[in-house]
Amino acid sequence: MSFVLRKAVLKTAAVVLPSSTVQKGTTACSDQQLPRASGRFASSSAAVQPQAEDQTQPAQEVAEESEDIDPHHDIPQCGWDDQKVSVGWGDGMKWSRYHNIWLRDHCRCSECFHPITKQRLVDTFEIPTDIHPNKVESKENGLEVTWPANPPHISHYPWSWLRRNSYDPPAQVGVVALSSEARNEKILWGARILDSPPTLTYEEVMKDDAGLLRWLEKIDQFGFCFIGGVPPTPEDTERLCKRIAFIRETQYGGFWDFTSDLSHGDTAYTNLALKAHTDNTYYTDPAGLQLFHLLSHTDGEGGATLLVDGFYAASILKEINPAAFDLLSRVRIPAHAAGDDHSFYKPGPTSAGYPLITVDPKTGLLAQIRYNNDDRSVVSGLDGNQMEEWYEALRAWNKCLTSHDSEYWVQMKPGTALVIDNHRVLHGRSTFTGKRRMCGAYIGADEFRSKLTVLQELAKWRASGGEERKESLRSIWDPRL
């Protein structure tokens, strides 16, 4: 597993961790036992540790996307038989082989793929199982295949697209250009992020698309962002939420405005302390973002907000105890929400739950943290030997979460909103007295990523001199399609 590390020097304070050596398999995660930054994990307690430009080696090299091959290389060779078309790249990747039916099924001419809707038009089930080309040619910008039909059907496949989607052999990360989703860089952080946390103003975010894009990119990179200068009203806070996307309805309602009155059967509606957790572990699809805004706190004190970068904690766990990391990324943990008589939630479809740590099987990158020990149901499905190992792994995870190096505490005040990536950053609070009024909402992960992607596309298009959009921003060969 690896992270895409930034080469650029960050504005965020970056502090090298203590130099004490850690042996793999160690279960503790105290301040003195955290590993130094390495090529695989960014273990600076504030952000990815910057290095001199000529010394930095990213964890995975990502090529820029291109519609054709490198002009310094020869045009790839090609050949075919009754089953496959073979492409010889002429470099370290050698040959890739593509089944005839796969190529015909992925034709993206206007008859087979709608150029506007980006939806398939070809009927897979009308393609003969024994289809083979009449002719295959290597052109400068891609592979041209002529299929038997009346008149003959000609398909064109850009070299970059073929290479990116090679499956025999599988495309290798570092050789193949990744999509913009995979290239989004995550900046890991610990407690010292307090020196310079990601922050924007309400005016910036509400003014134009450029400000909104800066906000979403900070959320994507750091997993959280503060917004200052927010009018301390539910109405203005709701407008801020909807700046990203529509609000997600749950059993708690849409936009919530609440105090510690136990109006719902959840400890969030009390004045009790909450340990670091992610929300909605009892959903099949937990909310992607959560926005909080403290409107008032009267006649009392306390209630400090706790933030922990789950990706940072997981990277430390992976470094010092890979066996625990592996177990927590495999064992499904059941969860429930059963405090309200009018609702009962368990993640489907089997109620077995999901692993605490999710790793993207293709890129090896951390994809999601799903953890709330208070909402956990009965742990089962493990044999006698595994049960003790699971508790030891959970204990190791907890030590990484509760390390002083991991915990970022901040006292929220009216006028400052906080948004967190609920698939990455865990949150909690200290106990408090008096009356606190809090408002906020959930936003779906898909809606967040969609708005981020669209704004990035528009920014790239405008930077290229675009004024009036006359055609789709996305090519039919977009690597995400």
Side-chain angles (χ1 to χ4, degrees):
M1 168 181 158
S2 58
F3 291 95
V4 180
L5 307 183
R6 295 187 65 178
K7 285 189 177 182
V9 175
L10 304 175
K11 293 181 180 178
T12 308
V15 183
V16 178
L17 296 178
S19 58
S20 56
T21 303
V22 178
Q23 297 296 324
K24 288 189 175 182
T26 306
T27 56
C29 192
S30 65
D31 297 338
Q32 291 74 32
Q33 291 179 309
L34 293 173
R36 292 176 60 88
S38 69
R40 294 177 82 64
F41 296 98
S43 50
S44 160
S45 57
V48 173
Q49 174 65 14
Q51 302 179 29
E53 182 70 22
D54 60 347
Q55 295 177 344
T56 303
Q57 294 296 326
Q60 58 188 31
E61 290 291 339
V62 180
E64 288 295 317
E65 294 161 16
S66 173
E67 286 300 322
D68 51 24
I69 60 172
D70 188 330
H72 300 293
H73 287 152
D74 293 333
I75 295 175
Q77 305 174 51
C78 66
W80 77 97
D81 58 30
D82 288 343
Q83 289 186 315
K84 298 179 182 179
V85 172
S86 299
V87 175
W89 300 107
D91 57 19
M93 192 174 178
K94 299 182 180 179
W95 289 84
S96 293
R97 291 161 292 277
Y98 307 88
H99 286 83
N100 295 332
I101 192 170
W102 185 90
L103 285 169
R104 183 62 188 88
D105 186 51
H106 286 85
C107 176
R108 290 195 172 175
C109 73
S110 59
E111 294 179 15
C112 297
F113 195 86
H114 200 290
I116 302 302
T117 69
K118 306 299 186 294
Q119 291 173 296
R120 293 164 47 83
L121 299 175
V122 64
D123 188 340
T124 302
F125 310 104
E126 288 188 357
I127 302 173
T129 57
D130 60 349
I131 191 171
H132 58 273
N134 285 342
K135 184 168 63 173
V136 176
E137 293 183 90
S138 288
K139 301 289 188 177
E140 183 177 352
N141 293 326
L143 181 73
E144 186 174 284
V145 181
T146 303
W147 303 102
N150 188 17
H153 189 93
I154 298 176
S155 300
H156 177 82
Y157 310 90
W159 296 122
S160 59
W161 183 88
L162 285 171
R163 189 162 183 167
R164 184 182 300 115
N165 291 288
S166 174
Y167 60 89
D168 181 15
Q172 298 296 314
V173 174
V175 175
V176 184
L178 293 177
S179 70
S180 60
E181 285 183 63
R183 286 208 310 270
N184 285 344
E185 301 161 338
K186 308 300 182 187
I187 301 174
L188 310 187
W189 50 268
R192 292 172 190 166
I193 192 71
L194 64 86
D195 295 331
S196 184
T199 306
L200 289 172
T201 67
Y202 181 78
E203 182 180 2
E204 286 178 276
V205 170
M206 301 300 289
K207 180 180 179 181
D208 54 29
D209 284 348
L212 178 57
L213 176 57
R214 286 194 295 273
W215 184 27
L216 300 189
E217 287 185 330
K218 286 183 181 294
I219 297 169
D220 185 60
Q221 289 178 327
F222 292 93
F224 79 104
C225 185
F226 292 107
I227 300 295
V230 183
T233 69
E235 294 77 16
D236 288 292
T237 308
E238 185 172 3
R239 278 193 284 272
L240 179 63
C241 294
K242 291 181 176 178
R243 191 79 174 96
I244 301 176
F246 56 85
I247 290 173
R248 177 170 174 174
E249 290 273 350
T250 69
Q251 74 268 36
Y252 306 111
F255 183 83
W256 13 269
D257 180 354
F258 70 98
T259 62
S260 54
D261 58 1
L262 264 179
S263 57
H264 286 281
D266 190 286
T267 48
Y269 291 79
T270 71
N271 63 352
L272 300 175
L274 300 174
K275 294 182 178 180
H277 66 281
T278 62
D279 276 15
N280 307 154
T281 57
Y282 39 77
Y283 287 165
T284 304
D285 175 28
L289 301 183
Q290 184 170 188
L291 188 144
F292 305 95
H293 187 194
L294 177 66
L295 297 178
S296 63
H297 187 178
T298 57
D299 302 325
E301 58 184 11
T305 296
L306 167 65
L307 299 177
V308 178
D309 185 351
F311 285 7
Y312 174 66
S315 73
I316 297 299
L317 181 66
K318 170 76 171 182
E319 190 82 2
I320 66 175
N321 195 332
F325 180 96
D326 178 67
L327 196 62
L328 295 179
S329 65
R330 289 188 293 106
V331 176
R332 292 175 174 267
I333 302 175
H336 63 264
D340 286 335
D341 289 341
H342 59 77
S343 64
F344 184 88
Y345 288 89
K346 287 182 72 69
T350 65
S351 298
Y354 293 85
L356 190 156
I357 299 169
T358 299
V359 176
D360 187 303
K362 184 175 182 180
T363 66
L365 302 177
L366 281 166
Q368 183 177 2
I369 302 298
R370 181 194 283 254
Y371 177 69
N372 187 337
N373 201 48
D374 293 349
D375 289 342
R376 178 162 53 82
S377 303
V378 175
V379 179
S380 59
L382 298 173
D383 62 35
N385 295 327
Q386 285 182 313
M387 189 60 75
E388 288 187 345
E389 292 175 1
W390 182 81
Y391 273 103
E392 285 302 313
L394 192 66
R395 191 180 303 276
W397 165 252
N398 183 64
K399 287 181 178 179
C400 290
L401 284 185
T402 57
S403 163
H404 292 307
D405 183 80
S406 297
E407 293 186 333
Y408 168 36
W409 287 92
V410 58
Q411 190 71 50
M412 298 294 293
K413 296 180 180 179
T416 298
L418 166 65
V419 64
I420 62 172
D421 180 347
N422 187 53
H423 289 192
R424 171 182 172 182
V425 172
L426 299 88
H427 65 282
R429 70 161 184 241
S430 64
T431 187
F432 66 90
T433 58
K435 182 178 180 179
R436 285 187 0 145
R437 184 185 175 194
M438 185 78 72
C439 70
Y442 291 127
I443 296 169
D446 292 333
E447 286 68 46
F448 162 63
R449 286 192 293 265
S450 172
K451 181 59 71 69
L452 174 61
T453 298
V454 168
L455 291 176
Q456 288 174 332
E457 289 175 336
L458 285 171
K460 183 178 180 181
W461 173 71
R462 287 166 178 158
S464 68
E467 295 181 1
E468 181 181 354
R469 184 166 37 157
K470 296 180 180 179
E471 57 185 26
S472 174
L473 294 174
R474 298 178 197 117
S475 162
I476 60 172
W477 301 107
D478 189 304
R480 298 163 299 181
L481 303 182

